[in-house]
Amino acid sequence: MKSYIIQGGNALNGEVNISGSKNASLPIIASSILNGDITRLYNVPKIHDTQITLEILKILGCKIRVNSGKIEINSKNINKIEIPEDLMRQMRSTVVLAGAILGRFKEVKFSYPGGCEIGARPIDLHLAAFRKLGIEVEENCGFIHCKCDKIVGTNINLDFPSVGATENIILATVLAEGTTVINNAAMEPEIVDLANCLTKMGAKIYGAGTNSIKIIGVEKLKGAGYKVMPDRIEAGTFLCAAAVTSGNVKVNNIVISDLIPVIHKLEEAGCKIYEGKNYIQIRGPKKLKAIEIKTMPYPGFPTDLQQIFGAMLTTAKGTSVIIENIFENRYKYTSELVRLGAKITVEGKMAVIEGKRKITGATVKSYDLRGGAALVIAALAVKGKTKIDNIEYIFRGYENFDQKLKGLGANIKKVGD
Ligand code: UD1
């Protein structure tokens, strides 16, 4: 087990470069399965989740070359349609590999995916959509076998705008016969990034970024080069790190429009924000103000920043209220914040944070990716020492997290085997 030891209290200052998006990279890596050709990807972050996805592609038969920021995937000789169970269980987003394998080979075998413990996270919407596309789906003791002779486009109405289900349907239908329309589709920027990458390969996808996406099946896709979008969640995390330490930080390599709900909330909390072309300069106030947050599908406030903001608000003046509408179990981190002296009560979807003037150091534990990063945010504000255990969760989604924070003046050390 690895841990961070953080001596908090330093105001963060300087510039930080944001890496490529984790949540866009995973379906985009999966999309390389579809063309049976060479895909060159740029700006893929070197984090645990992208490494596992590439590992699975290798096992399926892809040839992968990585050099100086470029990943080249040759999917010509894929000779397996089964995703290994141990890797499948490491993270939830492996489920989008199923759509890509189905799209190309019309058959896939996989087990229920794993991932962070932030709720039940079923995949019923994915499987219902596959069935609607004429795919036979057999579920047996946690294993799933999907098979069909051909995939035929149709209208699919999602009960909820699931990000993963929208991506899976796109991946499964770009090579289908006829036209597929996804209604109540997720509108997240990562969906647009996936559609842009597939379009470069020759796919015909219209309306990505809106709630109705039309996919006109094509016979074949070709190789392509694509640069993955910046990680808006990593950007939000560094903005909060600056805010909570009354720092002054320039956050580079971002897409401002993807961060609008986040910027509004930081301004409401008293931060001064200057927006450049592809950067934000943030100045945290001496004392943050309490705010209210409701997580919603995009363009609402992102659930992936709920925990990060929750940690930031523990030191704000007044009482903040958070309503988590996307995942039912995304408040585990609050009990760790309480160990640091925060005053938080959780009831169902709602967390009430009574801002405390001072939180103090202690030993705490990460339970999931963003919850772990949230503890780092809180520890940066503590005038004292905090030890955060189980930081392997954080490595799943943040590239060089501690080095980037160190570059801004944080006193953070990684320890453990
Ligand atoms: C993606 C993101 C994750 C983010 C989430 C919501 C990736 C790799 N992960 O996850 O970081 O927090 O979007 O923005 O991109 N649901 C069902 N049945 C399904 C599918 C989803 O009930 O078949 C529920 C989930 O349990 C959850 C909600 O719908 O409560 C949202 O899930 P979804 O949008 O699918 O999130 P993910 O794609 O898993």
Side-chain angles (χ1 to χ4, degrees):
M1 181 188 71
K2 287 192 170 60
S3 308
Y4 280 144
I5 295 185
I6 298 173
Q7 182 70 43
N10 294 357
L12 299 193
N13 279 295
E15 296 190 25
V16 61
N17 293 329
I18 296 305
S19 300
S21 160
K22 164 178 104 65
N23 286 355
S25 293
L26 303 173
I28 285 176
I29 293 173
S31 75
S32 71
I33 291 174
L34 285 160
N35 57 14
D37 201 341
I38 294 174
T39 306
R40 298 171 314 281
L41 298 178
Y42 304 87
N43 209 31
V44 172
K46 196 168 179 213
I47 51 176
H48 172 269
D49 281 13
T50 54
Q51 302 311 300
I52 294 292
T53 311
L54 291 169
E55 194 55 43
I56 296 176
L57 257 60
K58 263 192 213 163
I59 293 169
L60 296 177
C62 290
K63 286 219 160 38
I64 297 179
R65 284 213 319 231
V66 181
N67 70 49
S68 57
K70 177 170 85 172
I71 299 177
E72 205 173 271
I73 304 169
N74 184 343
S75 64
K76 190 170 169 212
N77 295 321
I78 291 185
N79 52 12
K80 288 197 182 74
I81 49 95
E82 181 162 359
I83 306 173
E85 187 192 355
D86 53 331
L87 296 177
M88 186 77 198
R89 290 206 190 277
Q90 291 211 19
M91 57 199 233
R92 173 165 171 94
S93 46
T94 42
V95 73
V96 293
L97 293 166
I101 298 172
L102 261 176
R104 176 153 165 212
F105 298 102
K106 319 296 171 228
E107 181 173 10
V108 65
K109 289 181 184 172
F110 61 106
S111 56
Y112 277 98
C116 288
E117 293 299 320
I118 55 177
R121 306 187 84 179
I123 55 166
D124 54 320
L125 300 174
H126 302 240
L127 300 183
F130 287 166
R131 288 191 173 104
K132 189 93 202 287
L133 289 164
I135 299 160
E136 238 176 72
V137 179
E138 243 180 61
E139 296 177 70
N140 195 359
C141 304
F143 288 90
I144 299 164
H145 184 188
C146 303
K147 201 171 184 290
C148 61
D149 295 330
K150 57 182 181 181
I151 297 177
V152 184
T154 184
N155 281 2
I156 298 172
N157 298 298
L158 287 176
D159 289 343
F160 180 88
S162 153
V163 174
T166 303
E167 291 165 347
N168 236 340
I169 298 166
I170 294 174
L171 290 163
T173 58
V174 280
L175 292 174
E177 266 183 27
T179 299
T180 304
V181 177
I182 313 172
N183 293 313
N184 199 24
M187 301 195 284
E188 268 69 1
E190 291 77 13
I191 306 270
V192 179
D193 217 36
L194 170 65
N196 287 344
C197 176
L198 282 164
T199 302
K200 277 196 100 177
M201 294 178 185
K204 291 192 171 162
I205 303 171
Y206 306 94
T210 74
N211 64 1
S212 177
I213 302 178
K214 185 188 210 179
I215 304 124
I216 301 177
V218 295
E219 245 171 54
K220 219 175 145 22
L221 295 178
K222 57 180 190 291
Y226 193 74
K227 183 177 173 196
V228 171
M229 65 178 273
D231 197 306
R232 62 193 170 104
I233 307 304
E234 187 199 9
T237 306
F238 278 97
L239 290 169
C240 289
V244 82
T245 61
S246 310
N248 187 349
V249 173
K250 189 169 167 233
V251 180
N252 294 323
N253 300 346
I254 56 168
V255 178
I256 304 255
S257 54
D258 294 347
L259 284 160
I260 287 171
V262 178
I263 294 170
H264 282 167
K265 286 296 162 188
L266 286 166
E267 282 177 334
E268 240 180 272
C271 298
K272 289 270 174 292
I273 304 262
Y274 174 78
E275 295 176 15
K277 190 165 173 271
N278 61 350
Y279 70 88
I280 288 176
Q281 178 93 36
I282 179 168
R283 202 146 41 87
K286 269 216 164 76
K287 195 93 210 139
L288 287 159
K289 287 185 268 187
I291 52 172
E292 288 184 14
I293 289 173
K294 283 191 185 101
T295 66
M296 300 288 275
Y298 191 84
F301 186 89
T303 171
D304 285 350
L305 285 173
Q306 178 263 107
Q307 294 143 300
I308 310 292
F309 267 69
M312 180 186 84
L313 292 170
T314 55
T315 58
K317 189 163 185 274
T319 300
S320 298
V321 177
I322 299 180
I323 311 281
E324 171 56 63
N325 286 313
I326 310 294
F327 291 106
E328 72 267 30
N329 192 15
R330 223 171 188 180
Y331 282 134
K332 258 192 182 167
Y333 74 106
T334 57
S335 54
E336 299 302 294
L337 288 179
V338 168
R339 294 166 76 92
L340 297 178
K343 277 190 93 177
I344 307 177
T345 48
V346 174
E347 218 182 292
K349 287 176 162 194
M350 184 167 71
V352 177
I353 305 171
E354 281 178 50
K356 268 198 97 180
R357 281 191 179 280
K358 218 174 138 205
I359 51 174
T360 46
T363 296
V364 289
K365 199 169 164 184
S366 315
Y367 285 103
D368 60 80
L369 161 58
R370 305 299 170 190
L375 298 177
V376 173
I377 298 299
L380 292 171
V382 169
K383 289 195 173 53
K385 195 160 92 179
T386 305
K387 180 166 177 265
I388 304 171
D389 291 337
N390 264 358
I391 57 170
E392 284 79 1
Y393 278 115
I394 300 175
F395 304 157
R396 290 192 42 199
Y398 290 90
E399 187 176 55
N400 301 331
F401 196 38
D402 44 322
Q403 285 101 312
K404 288 186 183 184
L405 285 167
K406 254 189 218 156
L408 295 172
N411 186 341
I412 176 168
K413 204 166 64 183
K414 192 159 50 189
V415 295
D417 40 47

